[in-house]
Amino acid sequence: MNSPLFDVIIIGSGIGGLVTASQLAAKGAKVLVLESYVIPGGSAGYFQRQGYTFDVGASMIFGMGSQGTTNLLTRALDAVNITLKTIPDDVQIHYHLPDNLDIKVDRDYEKFLQNLIAYFPHEAKGIRRFYDECQKVFNCLNNIELLSLEEPRYLLRVFLKNPLACLGLAKYLPLNVGDVAQRYIKDPLLLKFIDIECYCWSVVPAAMTPMINAGMVFSDRHYGGVNYPQGGVGKIAEKLVTGLERAGGKIQYQARVTKIIIEQGKAIGVELANGQTYHAKTVVSNATRWDTFTKLLPPENIPANEKLWQQRYEKSPSFLSLHIGVKASVLPLGTQCHHILLTDWQEMTAAQGTIFVSIPTLLDPNLAPPGYHIIHAFTPDWITNWQGLSPKEYEEKKEIAAGQIIDRLEAIFPGLDAGLDYLEIGTPRTHRRFLNRIDGTYGPIPKRKLWGLLAMPFNRTAIPGLYCVGDSTFPGQGLNAVAFSGFACAHRIGVDLGVKK
């Protein structure tokens, strides 16, 4: 018996995949999402232990503002008539850096600039000019509807409506942050600060971070702001699934896709690990491009443009993560939700060099038992550092690494070790297993300096009927960025299929 024919099958329920699915279902398309795990969201998922609700990944969420066009997560939920309460965060990041740099990125733009100028008064003019330039990029983005850049009629419509915004964005597309920062800033230490401003979300320094992305992040934190979903980050995916199903779409869990079916050169469906097949007019992969073109498709038939992409980009590191439950008394009064710790600039991009910290219970106390907080500390690490170990060696290495990170965290949270109530350690192997991403990677990073975002592929692939979505597509990493890729992918497919609703 043949399986039912869907308009769209989406492999994976990360945020990019769910935005694509919910947008298309809202347009009237027949959509099926196949998720290998038991809950949706991928790295934007959650898990529960002993009264704690932990976010799998970071808790710093952009795109949930209430105005403009760059609030893409809010818009994605609105499209399927879903709302999600959020809690505003007054400080994006509290940096604890070498050379006694202790800087808070306040939601208020002027307050942030003054915080930074206090450390670099001789660069006051350059600081303002650089971040104002980022604001120009953001204003261009925030004046246009963000859909597929592969759709000519959309591009023409947007250009005719907002020609100055479009020309402004075109100017910044080939530029990286380092190109712009060095026009205005000369102080080497301040340029290092710009590096970690980029590294904390792009996992590369300013010279390799696209200016378009920086314009979004460095400005939206002062516009829509960082807003935490009440109930945890996992609520975003849950709500999108609710909206998807209300709109007539379907999601199937514990459905691991092992093969994209190709007939006469066109993607026509997928095969699961249990041998079941589903067929569709189009297939969307929310897996990484490495997983898509070397695992789900025969690697010997990889298209030439995908080979070129793999020559330009490499896998970023994964993360070593500590999910901690701790007595509330450990956190000093006035502690912010998000922190970055670095003790040596030379170690910024090294494995376990930079430590990222999220304490979401400072925003939503209901995620932990009364009198306790969650501390999620994570640091970049490579899967190669965790392979070839016996089970005993693996556990011992995890304990040693966790102890070293806790020692470093004691610098800002004295008494952390003594106040521990719960500790769970995840390695790159954990990320690979549960997130189904090759090597547990965070996403693609440039192998060398590229021209801004011009090398990032869009949603269509060289294989007819096959699309990609997520952080391996334009505009890259981060929840709001993959939401953008989801809007773009759904728009392009909607046009290709002639979905009118």
Side-chain angles (χ1 to χ4, degrees), residues 123-142:
E123 288 277 20
K125 185 180 291 185
I127 288 170
R128 194 170 291 278
R129 285 182 173 178
F130 168 69
Y131 284 102
D132 281 355
E133 187 101 352
C134 294
Q135 294 274 355
K136 291 178 183 177
V137 176
F138 178 76
N139 290 337
C140 291
L141 288 166
N142 206 33

Side-chain angles (χ1 to χ4, degrees), residues 34-325:
L34 298 170
E35 168 56 49
S36 62
Y37 196 44
V38 295
I39 60 169
S43 58
Y46 72 97
F47 63 96
Q48 295 176 316
R49 300 284 191 275
Q50 297 181 17
Y52 296 95
T53 299
F54 292 107
D55 296 328
V56 169
S59 304
M60 188 189 302
I61 307 300
F62 292 89
M64 300 206 72
S66 58
Q67 54 187 344
T69 62
T70 57
N71 55 342
L72 295 166
L73 293 172
T74 299
R75 287 176 52 207
L77 292 165
D78 284 347
V80 283
N81 300 310
I82 295 288
T83 58
L84 176 56
K85 290 183 178 179
T86 60
I87 304 153
D89 192 355
D90 290 335
V91 172
Q92 181 214 6
I93 297 176
H94 184 175
Y95 287 105
H96 310 264
L97 303 175
D99 301 293
N100 296 313
L101 292 182
D102 190 276
I103 296 170
K104 294 179 183 178
V105 181
D106 283 87
R107 194 176 184 121
D108 180 90
Y109 181 55
E110 189 60 33
K111 191 173 180 181
F112 162 61
L113 292 184
Q114 293 305 324
N115 289 346
L116 192 54
I117 289 169
Y119 282 91
F120 302 97
H122 54 290
E123 288 277 20
K125 185 180 291 185
I127 288 170
R128 194 170 291 278
R129 285 182 173 178
F130 168 69
Y131 284 102
D132 281 355
E133 187 101 352
C134 294
Q135 294 274 355
K136 291 178 183 177
V137 176
F138 178 76
N139 290 337
C140 291
L141 288 166
N142 206 33
N143 277 320
I144 62 176
E145 186 182 9
L146 300 176
L147 294 173
S148 177
L149 302 185
E150 295 181 281
E151 210 276 282
R153 286 175 297 178
Y154 156 76
L155 290 177
L156 179 60
R157 185 171 72 247
V158 169
F159 180 79
L160 293 176
K161 189 175 180 181
N162 296 283
L164 294 179
C166 292
L167 291 172
L169 287 177
K171 180 179 75 171
Y172 290 109
L173 268 173
L175 297 178
N176 291 316
V177 179
D179 303 324
V180 179
Q182 291 183 34
R183 291 179 191 166
Y184 306 118
I185 295 168
K186 303 303 176 189
D187 188 304
L189 182 57
L190 180 53
L191 289 171
K192 288 177 181 176
F193 176 76
I194 303 297
D195 275 335
I196 201 161
E197 277 262 82
C198 293
Y199 183 76
C200 73
W201 49 271
S202 70
V203 204
V204 287
M208 299 170 74
T209 299
M211 186 63 184
I212 293 281
N213 298 46
M216 175 77 88
V217 175
F218 291 167
S219 303
D220 192 33
R221 62 191 183 186
H222 308 293
Y223 179 80
V226 176
N227 300 283
Y228 188 75
Q230 189 171 322
V233 172
K235 290 294 180 185
I236 301 172
E238 285 186 350
K239 292 282 190 177
L240 283 170
V241 167
T242 298
L244 166 69
E245 292 178 330
R246 285 182 183 174
K250 296 181 180 180
I251 184 166
Q252 183 176 326
Y253 298 104
Q254 294 181 293
R256 185 167 68 88
V257 175
T258 55
K259 180 181 178 183
I260 295 171
I261 302 169
I262 304 292
E263 277 189 10
Q264 298 180 343
K266 183 180 186 300
I268 62 151
V270 299
E271 182 177 317
L272 306 188
N274 64 6
Q276 187 173 8
T277 60
Y278 292 100
H279 293 85
K281 298 174 184 176
T282 56
V283 176
V284 180
S285 177
N286 194 192
T288 71
R289 294 189 99 88
W290 293 282
D291 288 300
T292 302
F293 289 98
T294 62
K295 293 184 179 180
L296 301 180
L297 290 163
E300 63 271 15
N301 294 335
I302 183 170
N305 64 329
E306 296 299 332
K307 290 181 182 178
L308 179 61
W309 182 83
Q310 291 190 17
Q311 291 169 9
R312 291 172 170 170
Y313 287 86
E314 61 186 346
K315 297 185 288 289
S316 74
S318 182
F319 286 98
L320 174 68
S321 296
L322 271 61
H323 288 92
I324 303 169

